[in-house]
């Protein structure tokens, strides 16, 4: 049986890295929602195109999908058998985003045509995320994916233990 795994959490929490590792371990395709959402120049995809791309991604027998985008949870949460929430601190998220920005500066690694950037709005988004998004996201997971195994991972040790148990 193929697995259907959602990886959620704030920017810089390690969602993409964990998703790639899980996809390789489970031998299933990995979808990074940022790559479906962003068009060149950081222009958002039209909502209907973004939803259609996600709907296509969940039709396969197994998958790992990484990213939050709660407006389309209805497409993913009911089908997930596992939901992993990376619950790292603000400072960890900010440090990792800064390191990623320095490593990827001038490249478009988040999404095609979207050159890595770190601006005040993005830093504010990360800082405010625990207060503005965390509780609502966890409530959505509890309500809309009750059939799924839920994993709340806060540290690298938590992630390592989770990967050993997969």
């Amino acid at each position: 049986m193929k697995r259907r795994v959602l990886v959620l959490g704030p920017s810089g929490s390690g969602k993409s890295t964990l998703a790639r590792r899980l996809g390789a371990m489970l031998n299933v395709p990995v979808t990074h929602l940022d790559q479906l959402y962003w068009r060149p120049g950081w222009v958002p995809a039209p909502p209907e195109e973004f939803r259609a791309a996600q709907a296509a991604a969940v039709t396969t027998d197994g998958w790992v999908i990484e990213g939050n985008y709660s407006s389309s949870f209805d497409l993913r949460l009911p089908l997930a058998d596992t939901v992993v929430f990376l619950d790292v601190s603000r400072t960890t998220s900010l440090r990792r985003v800064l390191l990623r920005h320095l490593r990827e500066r001038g490249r478009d690694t988040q999404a095609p045509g979207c050159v890595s950037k770190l601006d005040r709005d993005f830093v504010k988004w990360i800082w405010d995320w625990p207060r503005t998004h965390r509780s609502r996201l966890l409530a959505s997971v509890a309500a809309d994916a009750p059939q799924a195994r839920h994993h709340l991972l806060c540290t690298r040790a938590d992630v390592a233990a989770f990967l050993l148990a997969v």
Side-chain angles (χ1 to χ4, degrees), residues 1 7 15 17 20 57 69 77 79 85 98 152:
M1 180 178 108
V7 181
K15 295 184 303 290
T17 300
R20 282 190 298 272
Y69 296 95
L77 284 174
L79 300 175
F85 182 79
L98 176 61
L152 185 71

Side-chain angles (χ1 to χ4, degrees), residues 4 6 63 76-83 141-150:
R4 294 177 171 183
L6 291 179
W63 40 259
R76 295 173 279 133
L77 284 174
L79 300 175
D81 61 51
T82 305
V83 179
V141 169
D144 299 329
Q147 77 293 349
R149 291 176 290 261
H150 299 181

Side-chain angles (χ1 to χ4, degrees), residues 89-115:
S89 71
R90 293 171 175 163
T91 54
T92 297
S93 289
L94 284 170
R95 180 178 43 81
R96 288 177 179 173
V97 166
L98 176 61
L99 291 172
R100 179 176 69 201
H101 175 69
L102 293 172
R103 184 177 60 247
E104 298 174 355
R105 191 173 192 155
R107 300 189 329 211
D108 62 350
T109 55
Q110 289 296 103
C114 297
V115 176

Side-chain angles (χ1 to χ4, degrees), residues 2-4 59 74 83 104 117 127 139 142 148 160:
K2 295 286 187 171
R3 301 278 299 274
R4 294 177 171 183
T59 62
D74 61 301
V83 179
E104 298 174 355
K117 67 178 182 174
W127 190 257

Side-chain angles (χ1 to χ4, degrees), residues 113-130:
C114 297
V115 176
S116 178
K117 67 178 182 174
L118 182 62
D119 58 21
R120 181 185 174 116
D121 289 341
F122 188 39
V123 170
K124 184 175 178 356
W125 165 262
I126 294 166
W127 190 257
D128 291 345
W129 200 90

